[in-house]
Amino acid sequence: MIQFHNVFLAYQKDATALQNVSFSVAKGEFVFLTGPSGAGKTSLLRLIYGALTPSRGQVLIDGQNVSRLTSSQLPFLRRSIGVVFQDFKLLQNRTVFENVAITLEVQGGGSKADISKRVMHILRQMGMESKISLTPQRLSGGEQQRVALARALVNEPKILLADEPTGNLDDANKMQIMNIFKEANVRGTTVVVATHDRRLIEHAHYRIIRLQNGELADNGEVRNEEIH
Amino acid sequence: MKKFTNKRPAMTTPGAQGRLRYFIGRALSNIRQNVFVNVVTVGTITLALLIVSLFLLLFVNLENAADNWSEKVQVTVYFDKELTPQEQSDLKNKIQALPATSKVTWVGRDEALKRFKGRLKGQETLLEGIRPEVLPTSFEISLKKASRSSEDVAAYVAKLKNIQGIGEIQYGEEWVRRFNTFLTFMRIVGGLVGGFLVLAVIFIVSNTIQLTIYARRDELEVMSLVGATRLFIKMPYLLEGLLQGLAGGVLALLLLLAVHLLFLHNAGNFLTFNPATAGLAFLPPEYSAGLLGAGAMLGFLGSLAALRRFINEITG
């Protein structure tokens, strides 16, 4: 599903974000991407959804080289990937409903009634149905995270990427978010969660890919106590 | 997984209508949500188009004045002897048959003396005792608009000379040449000033619209990240630019009309130098329609230019 072949990423000549990273994630797998701040986790996720292009090497999604996709093909890759951003990227002048509906609207996701039905369904799953008409400023951090998650999952993507999804959440909210990831994974979605939150990783026993200073420090199962 | 080479359904499918409605709805909601920025943009377009349209008004009136002046490009054929009515008629028909001829007028001796007296108003006594017979008779020939250049007039005179029985020909060669030089100069200056104004307007409008788009860069980024195509992201903003430009065009035209009615309608004949047409004429309908079209086009192109920079940054 996701393959990295000897990927290098340099923002400038002397500032390398990733060095010779190779790994693969199978279809339907759940993977934690971990490592300290600045290890290259966010850059790696951005390479997957085509927001960055590797300086060297290849990133393949379902066998297709992401950096070879044209600007008219890239949107179709992104439609198959749901992304939960570290800063949520919610539109502050739009309601909860509109923030989630935007995913379906840009993808031509059926009639207004269809879109409304699907948005309400996912917001109900997230426990946010009573807040559909609020703007993000009026939501707590946990609620904003759930709206961001609803936006990423509303079109049932093949891949779900989450960048530090539990950053500022309390334990109860963390577990709720984690359960939503698990449910998506059970339904067949490949999930990659970038985090350096030990408690989150300890909670579930999934494969862990560890980055250190832009290099792949571990590609497989890592015991929890080895994580820093 | 589905390959990523899917193309969006063509705009002719039934779904396209819904999509177009969505784009228009988005454009209108963008305008409602950003009233201030839109007012600034429409105001800038209005001001810019008002300047262009004032220039256009001046230019159109100058062209009209030039047209009036060019009526004076006239060829006169003098005859020493009195022509018989048959000779007059034959010659007039031959002159009229030349393609460049617009109007041929016979000026008899009595009429010539009357005109002469008219020119010497206040000093008519000088002409006392002068009989009409001393003045020549003549044909005054007006030329068609397209045949008033120096070269055309010279060619016309050459053809006229070939007509049997024609007399002495005068046509104010130097005046015609100077008048045509002036017209050419006026058009070149007009074209340069007009071109410069249009470029300045495009630059200003593009930058103002860029401010509008910059204010919504988060929205554009999110749309791109959730899989919107470039066209899908651009379309509402292009429509918005089109509407802004059209609104600017309408306002500029209304302001121009107000300025015209208040100040220019009854202005002196300083421009036309023609007492019969005191004041400036308003823009002809085709120019007014052109101004609206230009407004819409400006808004559209301004948006397009501003979007190109942003979309490339956002969509990678």
Side-chain angles (χ1 to χ4, degrees):
Chain A
M1 176 62 78
I2 303 171
Q3 290 168 290
F4 274 59
H5 292 301
N6 309 108
V7 171
F8 288 76
L9 178 69
Y11 289 109
Q12 287 163 348
K13 272 186 182 172
D14 50 351
T16 309
L18 294 174
Q19 287 186 70
N20 202 22
V21 174
S22 297
F23 68 90
S24 60
V25 176
K27 189 178 177 183
E29 204 176 347
F30 192 126
V31 173
F32 280 117
L33 179 65
T34 189
S37 293
K41 302 189 291 294
T42 301
S43 298
L44 192 145
L45 293 184
R46 296 185 76 195
L47 285 168
I48 296 175
Y49 61 85
L52 290 174
T53 306
S55 313
R56 269 165 60 193
Q58 290 182 333
V59 178
L60 306 179
I61 306 295
D62 202 32
Q64 289 205 68
N65 190 338
V66 176
S67 52
R68 290 256 174 97
L69 294 177
T70 63
S71 59
S72 60
Q73 289 171 328
L74 191 60
F76 295 97
L77 165 75
R78 289 182 176 171
R79 289 175 191 192
S80 66
I81 302 174
V83 186
V84 182
F85 303 95
Q86 196 170 2
D87 58 354
F88 310 142
K89 290 198 191 300
L90 296 177
L91 299 173
Q92 300 302 315
N93 60 347
R94 297 215 188 181
T95 63
V96 165
F97 181 92
E98 288 167 338
N99 264 289
V100 178
I102 195 170
T103 303
L104 298 174
E105 282 171 358
V106 304
Q107 298 179 9
S111 67
K112 215 171 172 178
D114 287 339
I115 290 175
S116 180
K117 198 172 147 191
R118 290 172 70 181
V119 171
M120 287 310 295
H121 177 71
I122 193 84
L123 285 174
R124 215 170 288 128
Q125 279 187 342
M126 302 288 161
M128 292 295 292
E129 72 269 39
S130 62
K131 309 216 168 174
I132 56 167
S133 57
L134 298 183
T135 52
Q137 296 104 310
R138 298 184 61 190
L139 302 176
S140 69
E143 287 171 331
Q144 289 190 38
Q145 184 64 279
R146 276 183 276 160
V147 176
L149 201 45
R151 184 182 61 194
L153 287 171
V154 69
N155 66 329
E156 295 171 2
K158 307 283 184 198
I159 300 170
L160 177 66
L161 307 176
D163 192 2
E164 299 289 358
T166 56
N168 298 312
L169 303 184
D170 57 31
D171 283 353
N173 267 313
K174 276 183 194 175
M175 290 311 121
Q176 253 183 340
I177 298 292
M178 194 59 209
N179 286 335
I180 294 166
F181 288 145
K182 282 180 182 173
E183 283 165 23
N185 184 239
V186 167
R187 287 196 299 272
T189 301
T190 306
V191 180
V192 180
V193 178
T195 183
H196 60 267
D197 185 337
R198 285 186 62 175
R199 285 178 61 89
L200 193 71
I201 298 166
E202 282 166 4
H203 175 77
H205 299 283
Y206 292 122
R207 179 182 161 202
I208 298 166
I209 295 173
R210 191 157 64 90
L211 290 173
Q212 185 85 41
N213 296 327
E215 291 181 69
L216 195 68
D218 212 314
N219 184 8
E221 286 286 345
V222 178
R223 286 200 305 275
N224 291 332
E225 54 269 28
E226 288 175 343
I227 302 160
H228 302 292
Chain B
M1 191 195 290
K2 216 158 51 169
K3 299 291 176 193
F4 313 118
T5 48
N6 318 37
K7 290 288 174 198
R8 204 141 37 93
M11 288 300 244
T12 48
T13 60
Q17 280 184 340
R19 189 158 282 215
L20 193 63
R21 265 203 300 276
Y22 171 80
F23 289 144
I24 293 170
R26 278 286 316 284
L28 293 175
S29 104
N30 283 347
I31 291 172
R32 275 197 302 273
Q33 283 174 356
N34 298 279
V35 176
F36 178 72
V37 183
N38 272 281
V39 167
V40 171
T41 309
V42 172
T44 310
I45 295 175
T46 303
L47 206 65
L49 284 178
L50 185 64
I51 295 168
V52 171
S53 60
L54 272 170
F55 172 78
L56 204 61
L57 187 87
L58 210 67
F59 190 75
V60 164
N61 275 277
L62 263 174
E63 280 274 340
N64 285 344
D67 266 358
N68 288 335
W69 296 336
S70 74
E71 297 286 343
K72 292 179 183 167
V73 175
Q74 190 170 276
V75 176
T76 311
V77 183
Y78 292 102
F79 301 93
D80 292 334
K81 56 168 191 171
E82 187 70 74
L83 300 183
T84 63
Q86 186 56 46
E87 285 172 326
Q88 251 184 62
S89 170
D90 285 351
L91 274 173
K92 191 174 179 177
N93 287 341
K94 283 177 185 167
I95 296 169
Q96 198 78 64
L98 293 174
T101 307
S102 167
K103 194 173 138 196
V104 184
T105 312
W106 170 253
V107 181
R109 288 184 158 136
D110 291 337
E111 174 65 18
L113 186 62
K114 204 170 128 192
R115 288 189 186 181
F116 200 13
K117 282 180 178 171
R119 281 186 200 170
L120 292 173
K121 222 166 189 138
Q123 296 171 302
E124 290 91 340
T125 47
L126 290 173
L127 297 176
E128 269 178 20
I130 292 192
R131 288 175 302 154
E133 288 74 28
V134 301
L135 294 171
T137 56
S138 61
F139 275 124
E140 285 178 356
I141 306 163
S142 299
L143 300 179
K144 285 180 181 162
K145 201 174 165 184
S147 307
R148 290 174 187 163
S149 71
S150 310
E151 298 77 20
D152 289 342
V153 176
Y156 182 81
V157 167
K159 281 184 192 164
L160 208 56
K161 279 180 180 166
N162 291 333
I163 297 175
Q164 186 82 36
I166 214 82
E168 185 193 341
I169 300 169
Q170 284 187 7
Y171 65 97
E173 193 179 352
E174 184 62 14
W175 190 88
V176 170
R177 198 183 56 75
R178 282 189 185 179
F179 176 72
N180 282 298
T181 308
F182 168 73
L183 267 189
T184 310
F185 174 74
M186 198 181 84
R187 283 174 185 146
I188 290 172
V189 170
L192 284 175
V193 174
F196 174 76
L197 275 176
V198 167
L199 281 180
V201 166
I202 289 175
F203 178 75
I204 293 167
V205 169
S206 162
N207 279 288
T208 314
I209 291 176
Q210 200 170 342
L211 284 180
T212 321
I213 290 168
Y214 186 75
R216 297 184 206 146
R217 63 194 181 284
D218 292 345
E219 187 176 331
L220 296 179
E221 187 188 2
V222 168
M223 286 174 82
S224 165
L225 290 172
V226 297
T229 58
R230 287 183 177 205
L231 185 68
F232 191 92
I233 296 172
K234 283 178 181 176
M235 197 51 94
Y237 294 96
L238 293 176
L239 284 174
E240 193 180 335
L242 196 88
L243 290 175
Q244 286 170 336
L246 204 58
V250 170
L251 285 174
L253 209 56
L254 289 175
L255 280 173
L256 185 72
L257 192 64
V259 170
H260 181 256
L261 289 175
L262 288 173
F263 306 110
L264 304 175
H265 180 58
N266 290 317
N269 57 345
F270 67 94
L271 183 67
T272 58
F273 300 105
N274 184 352
T277 56
L280 300 183
F282 193 66
L283 290 180
E286 63 270 26
Y287 279 72
S288 302
L291 196 70
L292 293 182
M297 194 48 78
L298 265 180
F300 185 84
L301 291 177
S303 283
L304 194 66
L307 277 165
R308 277 177 73 96
R309 291 172 226 171
F310 268 105
I311 300 292
N312 287 341
E313 276 175 34
I314 288 166
T315 56

